[in-house]
Amino acid sequence: MSDVPASSVPFPHPGIDHLANPEELKRQCPAFAAGCPYAKTQDHASSIASFGEVSKCPAFQKGCPFSNKSKEEVEKMFADIPADHPPVDMEKAAATPEGAILVQMLNQLLSETTLAAIFGKNDKPQYLEDPQLAAHMRKGTMAAHKAAENSVFTKRFLKGEINRDEYGCYLTSLYFVYRTMERLLEKHKDNAAIKVIYFPHELNRQESLLKDLKYYYGEERLAQVTDPAKMAPAVREYVEAMESACAKDPSLLVAHSYSRYLGDLSGGQILAKRLKKHVLGLSEADGTWDSDDGLAFYVFKNIGNQNEFKNEYRERLNMAPVTKESRDLIVQEAIHSFELNIALFDEIQRLSEEKALISTKKEGAAYCCNNIALSRWPVALATTAAVVGVGAVVYARYWKRS
């Protein structure tokens, strides 16, 4: 068995449950020929074959515990290894034919992340020398961009056909997304990948969104509009997706930061002009045309030249410290963020057609509720969150132009 290349070793192996004692295990299994490869002693450090004695490990008292086990069973067994178990040097393990067989089997069963969590690593992560993360995300999300452009609501937004109530829903949804995303970014700001693109002073949007929500709904309704319990299903799905991704690997937040912030910077000024004309009813000839009232979300006061900032952001992304595995996962998460956005577009379009949107405050007057009765307020308010992803998808259309 020791002469068989590691890549050709089948798994699960045929099993040796018939063995009567650890000594038979050592004689018949090359991986354990010189002792247990999972127990490290100070006396032997040259190769994995010299590590410990299998007879000292209770897990092997009745033979090999890995024989005839499924992937899930083996993964659980490793997860249950005591914290004080002697460490294993996986690089040294692969340095011998017997150890290489064992490592190959483990690699077939367990992901890089799981192996790292189980064994730990003495060396630093194997970061890519030139990851080009921004370029990979841009290429990876092209199909999602195209799908988003076909959304009915996206087309109406770009044409300037959305009304004041729809835009109020859009802002409400963005508030929930940014509040969650910026909280998670703050929590994990020391993560190696997040650290290079973490610019809270320049980019954070939560306070700007609150300012706009006050403008459209009035301060007296702000607490109701921003109540997390009122989130619509699509919005809640987006928020929970970010929480879930962060729990798996905080670096996945880079995907959401990329799709939101770069989209806002790329298409914000164009959309702001359309909103002034079609939602706020302003004219370029008016003295109020340059006002930011109701459009604080698009104003990045702490960024000088936006094009230079975007270029710097992309350059930092392209050199972000990521492994090949984490880069691929971040790209997949970016694609998922656009998929979530498309679902939100479809939901707000449906709600608009059903006339189930919450009425915004009319300019110069107290808010009115012509579209819905007050008795329907709890249900209708929840629907306003449906357009959380408008920015990420809509602005993506302008990515190539910026």
Side-chain angles (χ1 to χ4, degrees), residues 37-286:
Y38 299 98
K40 184 176 181 180
T41 67
Q42 298 297 323
D43 299 331
H44 306 282
S46 60
S47 74
I48 196 69
S50 299
F51 286 173
E53 285 295 328
V54 68
S55 59
K56 297 178 182 179
C57 181
F60 293 90
Q61 292 304 302
K62 295 182 179 180
C64 177
F66 303 117
S67 62
N68 295 324
K69 293 295 191 300
S70 67
K71 175 182 182 298
E72 291 73 18
E73 290 173 324
V74 173
E75 192 169 63
K76 185 179 186 304
M77 290 170 64
F78 275 100
D80 292 338
I81 292 177
D84 58 352
H85 188 281
V88 176
D89 189 326
M90 295 300 286
E91 289 186 357
K92 289 182 180 179
T96 64
E98 295 84 359
I101 293 173
L102 180 62
V103 171
Q104 177 65 22
M105 287 182 174
L106 292 177
N107 286 337
Q108 291 177 11
L109 285 173
L110 308 174
S111 68
E112 176 182 334
T113 302
T114 302
L115 285 170
I118 293 170
F119 294 106
K121 289 190 176 182
N122 296 325
D123 56 339
K124 295 181 179 180
Q126 298 299 307
Y127 293 137
L128 297 171
E129 291 185 6
D130 185 23
Q132 290 295 304
L133 181 56
H136 277 76
M137 282 197 285
R138 181 180 179 182
K139 180 178 180 180
T141 57
M142 282 184 177
H145 280 226
K146 186 175 181 62
E149 290 174 357
N150 292 325
S151 164
V152 174
F153 186 82
T154 302
K155 292 178 180 179
R156 292 182 56 240
F157 195 99
L158 291 170
K159 292 178 181 179
E161 294 178 355
I162 66 171
N163 57 46
R164 193 181 181 96
D165 293 345
E166 290 171 328
Y167 186 59
C169 291
Y170 166 57
L171 292 174
T172 304
S173 303
L174 288 183
Y175 170 78
F176 289 121
V177 171
Y178 277 96
R179 186 186 63 170
T180 300
M181 183 177 73
E182 290 172 358
R183 173 176 56 80
L184 293 173
L185 287 171
E186 166 68 21
K187 180 179 179 180
H188 299 284
K189 61 185 178 182
D190 293 327
N191 175 273
I194 292 175
K195 186 183 298 185
V196 299
I197 49 89
Y198 185 57
F199 295 97
H201 182 64
E202 293 81 2
L203 294 173
N204 278 9
R205 298 286 86 197
Q206 181 177 345
E207 293 304 316
S208 297
L209 285 162
L210 282 173
K211 183 177 179 181
D212 283 343
L213 288 173
K214 289 180 182 179
Y215 179 87
Y216 288 100
Y217 290 100
E219 189 165 0
E220 65 274 15
R221 285 199 293 169
L222 188 61
Q224 292 175 304
V225 172
T226 59
D227 182 359
K230 306 285 178 66
M231 280 191 286
V235 180
R236 190 172 300 280
E237 181 182 0
Y238 193 108
V239 167
E240 290 178 352
M242 287 192 289
E243 296 273 10
S244 176
C246 188
K248 295 176 183 176
D249 183 353
S251 66
L252 295 179
L253 287 172
V254 171
H256 295 281
S257 177
Y258 161 84
S259 64
R260 287 257 37 110
Y261 289 130
L262 284 187
D264 300 335
L265 286 168
S266 297
Q269 297 308 309
I270 295 175
L271 293 175
K273 290 181 180 179
R274 297 189 180 189
L275 290 166
K276 285 182 179 182
K277 181 177 181 180
H278 299 287
V279 172
L280 299 177
L282 303 179
S283 169
E284 292 189 45
D286 296 339

